[in-house]
Amino acid sequence: MAMSYNSKDEVDGGPPCAPGGAAKNRRPDNTAFKQQRLPAWQPILTAGTVLPTFFIIGLIFIPIGIGIFVTSNNIREIEIDYTGIDPSSPCNKCLSRNVTPCICTINFTLEQSFEGNVFMYYGLSNFYQNHRRYVKSRDDSQLNGDPTALLNPSKECEPYRRNEDKPIAPCGAIANSMFNDTLELFLVVNGSFSTAIPLKKKGIAWWTDKNVKFRNPPGEGPLQERFKDTTKPVNWVKPVYLLDSDQDNNGFINEDFIVWMRTAALPTFRKLYRIIERKSDLHPTLPAGDYFLNIQYNYPVHSFDGRKRMILSTISWMGGKNPFLGIAYITTGSISFLLGVVLLVINHKYRNSSNTADITI
Amino acid sequence: MIDTPTSPITSGLPLFFVITVTAIKQGYEDWLRHNSDNEVNGAPVYVVRSGGLVKTRSKNIRVGDIVRIAKDEIFPADLVLLSSGRPDGSCHITTASLDGETNLKTHVAVPETAVLQSLANLDTLVAVIECQQPEADLYRFMGRMIITQQMEEIVRPLGPESLLLRGARLKNTKEIFGVAVYTGMETKMALNYKSKSQKRSAVEKSMNTFLIIYLIILISEAIISTILKYTWQTEEKWDEPWYNQKTEHQRNSSKILRFISDFLAFLVLYNFIIPISLYVTVEMQKFLGSFFIGWDLDLYHEESGQKAQVNTSDLNEELGQVEYVFTDKTGTLTENEMQFRECSINGIKYQEINGRLVSEGPTPDSSDGNLSYLSSFSHLNNLPHLTSSSSFGTSPENETELIKEHDLFFKAVSLCHTVQISNVQTDGIGDGPWQASLAPSQLEYYASSPDEKALVEAAARIGVVFIGNYEETMEVKILGKLERYKLLHILEFDSDRRRMSVIVQAPSGEKFLFAKGAESSILPTCIGGEIEKTRIHVDEFALKGLRTLCMAYRQLTSKEYEVINRRLFEARTALQHREEKLANAFQFIEKDLILLGATAVEDRLQDKVRETIEALRMAGIKVWVLTGDKRETAVSVSLSCGHFHRTMNILELINQKSDNECAEQLRQLARRITEDHVIQHGLVVDGTSLSLALREHEKLFMDVCRNCSAVLCCRMAPLQKAKVIRLIKISPEKPITLAVGDGANDVSMIQEAHVGIGIMGKEGRQAARNSDYAIARFKFLSKLLFVHGHFYYIRIATLVQYFVFQNVCFITPQFLYQFYCLFSQQTLYDSVYLTLYNICFTSLPILIYSLLEQHINPHVLQNKPTLYRDISKNRQLSMTNFLYWTILGFSHAFIFFFGSYFLMGKDISLLGNGQMFGNWTFGTLVFTVMLITVTVKMALETHFWTWINHFVTWGSIIFYFVFSLFYGGILWPFSDSQNMYYVFFQLLASGSVWFAIILMVVICLLLDIVKKVFDRHFHPTNTEKAQLTETNSSIKCLDSMCCFSEGETACASVGRMLERVIGRCSPTHVSRLWSASDPFYTNDRSILTLSTMDSSTC
């Protein structure tokens, strides 16, 4: 700090005047703060003080871990890869793009019945939804129904911003690459006879996304009218206003679309596809038995070694089947308990030496 | 255009914040400076223009303007005095604001101009002033005035005595006229406050090292990422899959450009690993933290009303790192409050007892010891014959002879000085021998040197009272009889000659030269008097630790005086080599002296110097005393202040004349030390031997010094002091040095040392001004170092380490994430979190910690100086510690990232309704875990939990949650992306996430706790042991939250009530007993403390 001369120095530099009133004022205040004497709790981490903590952590974590582990184990989950890489797979034929539309059927068996609501996911692997170019290739204003953004999408959407001189709605790489396989689930009842399982497509997207974040362009007329002067994404077959016949699930607020627009964190991901609602308490939602999955195979993943899966899963309060959390809790709890024991031994054994050790001067 | 992974705002905002905070701080200081500048620049002054007084602003003064200054005004420029309100053209000024000397200084005008006391007269003046280029030295000015009077040119020399310095204040003089010779930045004052060289602390140096290491980590992370990115991109399916096409522009840009831009993009992505806000936090910490030193009552000196003063806050932590203390003796170890004790007149030693001189030495007829009064003069005066029983015979001849000797001696004492008389009472009585009317007891002397003051005062007590100087006359009242001596010349004191003299004309017309100075400079020039006896006496005085001065005189014949006068005039008017010529002239004049005697003045040791030095030594600090005093005095003071022990083997390296001799002596000393390493050694070196030793045998000398537990350097010139420090500084161990001093002669050493401490003593404020810290007493050093230094060091060391740690935690997950997103530079966290992490979420707990932390009771620190050794050599910031924190940071980052990865990345729904999270939720989870961990880690480091700590620690976490809920709860208008919309709500809606957060935080901290506990158990430092034994704090966590500072706030009562409910409050809660401290350091604090502690504890 540069030394500075100011008029105050003059006062300080003056002759040390008699200890009168002026000198008294210079006395620092005797407050707890200024004297650094604020009342304070002074914890010290010693073997003695942390010992109980270790035991407590052990004692709490192990039961929690077991609880979570059991909960997770009770969740039923089945995963079916329908990419068709294996030549024997029924979907193998669909790998070449010649056959359109390509429909294939995969049979599978549920060993155990699925109770409660069953959630149907599709899963993709090696699909980098988290690539930066991809993540930012969207226009949230457009998706929120902003009329100007609808006709003039954000530059971030390049190269999926305009097509044939018309703005793309919805623009961007994410929307353009929307998953478009159709999955249908059938229960084989008597060897050959089968019933379709009703799949609910509402409630798969976050409520706030569906109701606040995503909005169709304003206007009174039919959706097609509101989307006029825009064009469909290059890879799409139908324009956005034809995604669903239900007007509450059409256009930008189509839930399949919204789900897709929430980019996944990692290259292997699942997205919620449909919900199979529990019908009654008496019957399991999906009883054990043979099922087959009807796939309208549109989505190409072969070019980037991708995989497509269909997952059926029940859900607990803590989500899907994930043994990790339970195991981690049990492990941490055990280690903590073990450390507690070790510390106890050490503390006991060395107590004398550490306590009597004088502070050498 | 280069595509950045984060928006410029994201990275720019923290930088902007840092710059803003710094700018505000600097701006505030600048504003203050500006204000005071304005005050000075805009001050009204009266300038003589075309025969009239014109009022203008001081900034309008040009060189050559004649300025009128009234009494008690400050000079706005360096002025050459033309005339004053007094007929003799003299004026008094005080230069307290320049060099701190509080005495009045007399400045005189050239006689030709002194008569020009009115505007009309001034208008007739035709003169040219020639002077040297502006120079910073306050005490040097050379010039001449060529006055044209009646067609004839008169040349007059101008010296410092006619220059009135800007910043000084006019005293006791109605008004003066002066010509501005230097203005603005050319004034000596302005030249003197050019900023000092910046001192950097050891912590700052290691901080810079750490930052460089982090820069390397940053660059290597960026390089790794770039290379891996291109490895991946060789395959088109990863580079540009069908779902994620590039734009034309991206495809066409050149490869090299892309490579560079990718590298830069990674740099931007990872740049947060370099904690930009570290600097601003450190700066804030230092700035705010330094207030505690000034506020400390223990560093407040009740008698003088001075509190400790912090001039630079940059060195707070350096106070905890000191390895060498260099201290001045006079005024630092001693009070610098001189008391005349003894004198030797004409070979006889006397002691002053109750204003009387009592002969000491062996008396020829000691038949009656009680009657060995040599009697005071007043005694003699009243009853001249009663002294017949004096030991020196009874004959009246003898007695008059005696009186004559004494008379001359005390006349010399009371004439040969530069003491001023305070004439506060006589203000306004500008002329006439006003002093005569005053009783001696009312006189108050002001002197730049306390020795002189003590001597003049002693002479006054004996009966030779100096009453004042009026015009060129010195008035002395000898036994009530007024005598006027015409002051012909003053041969000022300088440190090379180490003496001063005056030439006076006695009322009888005889001319005398009186000289006063160190015995080494007076005795060789003497040709008469009791030289040998006096020498013995001087040595005896010195052994008692008294400061000695010798007095001598020379009677000048008028012929001699002529010669002297001419030579002096020539030398004084010389424009070139004036100093040299003056020195020659002085040497010519000060010879053939007749010794009168010697004086011995006692300088009392300051309070608790011995204890302080002892404590410093226990703390592993080597104490060197550097003094200008002579060896005997220095050694005896050293012994009495505990610097040297009686048990110490004292080695000497003195009076070395030649190089070889010196080297031989050094080798001998080194041998003696190695032979005898059980006993402690002390070394005495004198200035001349030191300069020899330093010239050729630095290494040898340093070896000897390092093996000595105490070193005393005497007869040191100011620059030598600085040189010794410099030598120690650059020695291989690079120790941290601290210099303490109080006088202008210590300034160079104070500035040279790593930490300069000024003692606000009697020798002006120059040292205090040039120091980094100024304290009132030497004993305060122990609290300053052992408590403040220790605390500041711990605080700042933890601050630096923690910052490094928290940024590693912050950015490593981002780096790891690149492995999962094809190195596409996708950020893991939302940009707002990136921006606010350092600014808002984590800044306060660490700042508060670094201001308030007390890892151990300050009393313990002060009573156990050995604890200071625990932090020596920058231990907390050693590479091992740095590595530990870094590794801890990385391991924590791995835990956050992979914990979240295993939890979420295995593409499992975590919500009870089966819905999925996306990448932003993932990042937010990592961020949340990290933020909590980092904050709680800070909490683990904190040993001193006041309510403020509780507030900011838990407040930060709560703030994060509240902020995130708010931030995620709104669709932000004017924002391109709504990535975070409801992400945080959804995250918190998941039960697994809560469990995962708890789990990860616990795992992270468990690692650290285990390490801490084991460390403490197996290798406890002394500080840690002391923590255990001494800090039996009974304030509980809950209490500390509720105990607000003054113990009167509502919360405290709530806390008390709460406690009563829980049943924890017991009277024993009144915590640490401060009063139960050791005997050395119980000062007023214990009482004060206890009273507040009572009221503030719950």
Side-chain angles (χ1 to χ4, degrees), chain B residues 215-378:
Chain B
L215 193 68
I216 294 168
I217 294 181
L218 166 67
I219 290 173
S220 42
E221 279 186 356
I223 290 175
I224 291 170
S225 304
T226 319
I227 292 171
L228 287 175
K229 177 178 174 132
Y230 280 85
T231 333
W232 275 101
Q233 278 184 358
T234 44
E235 275 185 84
E236 167 150 353
K237 67 181 176 194
W238 302 127
D239 184 28
E240 204 179 349
W242 64 264
Y243 56 84
N244 192 9
Q245 307 264 308
K246 292 179 183 176
T247 58
E248 280 303 304
H249 178 76
Q250 282 165 334
R251 242 172 257 160
N252 294 339
S253 61
S254 95
K255 262 223 154 85
I256 297 162
L257 199 75
R258 242 188 306 163
F259 190 85
I260 292 170
S261 83
D262 272 324
F263 174 71
L264 292 178
F266 280 115
L267 278 188
V268 170
L269 191 67
Y270 304 146
N271 82 77
F272 296 90
I273 202 171
I274 307 279
I276 301 178
S277 53
L278 173 60
Y279 275 101
V280 68
T281 313
V282 166
E283 192 138 317
M284 294 259 283
Q285 191 268 343
K286 288 182 168 181
F287 178 69
L288 298 175
S290 60
F291 284 118
F292 285 115
I293 293 180
W295 284 336
D296 196 333
L297 271 176
D298 290 352
L299 301 182
Y300 173 73
H301 190 239
E302 206 70 52
E303 287 90 71
S304 59
Q306 274 162 329
K307 53 187 183 185
Q309 183 184 321
V310 181
N311 295 333
T312 27
S313 52
D314 292 343
L315 297 170
N316 294 342
E317 69 277 6
E318 204 82 334
L319 292 172
Q321 291 295 301
V322 175
E323 288 161 81
Y324 279 84
V325 166
F326 296 91
T327 166
D328 176 42
K329 187 177 72 65
T330 314
T332 307
L333 298 178
T334 63
E335 286 283 4
N336 204 10
E337 206 174 69
M338 303 300 168
Q339 277 297 329
F340 179 82
R341 282 283 175 257
E342 297 185 53
C343 62
S344 156
I345 305 172
N346 208 23
I348 301 162
K349 238 179 357 169
Y350 300 97
Q351 234 175 347
E352 193 203 358
I353 296 172
N354 299 329
R356 291 173 170 194
L357 284 184
V358 179
S359 135
E360 229 181 39
T363 45
D365 52 341
S366 53
S367 54
D368 195 345
N370 284 342
L371 287 178
S372 65
Y373 280 121
L374 222 222
S375 74
S376 71
F377 278 90
S378 51

Side-chain angles (χ1 to χ4, degrees), chain B residues 78-119:
Chain B
D78 287 356
L79 309 174
V80 165
L81 183 60
L82 286 182
S83 65
S84 77
R86 303 177 178 193
D88 62 349
S90 73
C91 71
H92 289 187
I93 65 165
T94 156
T95 53
S97 64
L98 287 171
D99 56 10
E101 291 179 16
T102 54
N103 59 322
L104 296 178
K105 295 195 176 74
T106 312
H107 285 234
V108 289
V110 173
E112 280 73 19
T113 62
V115 295
L116 308 173
Q117 285 175 319
S118 71
L119 288 173

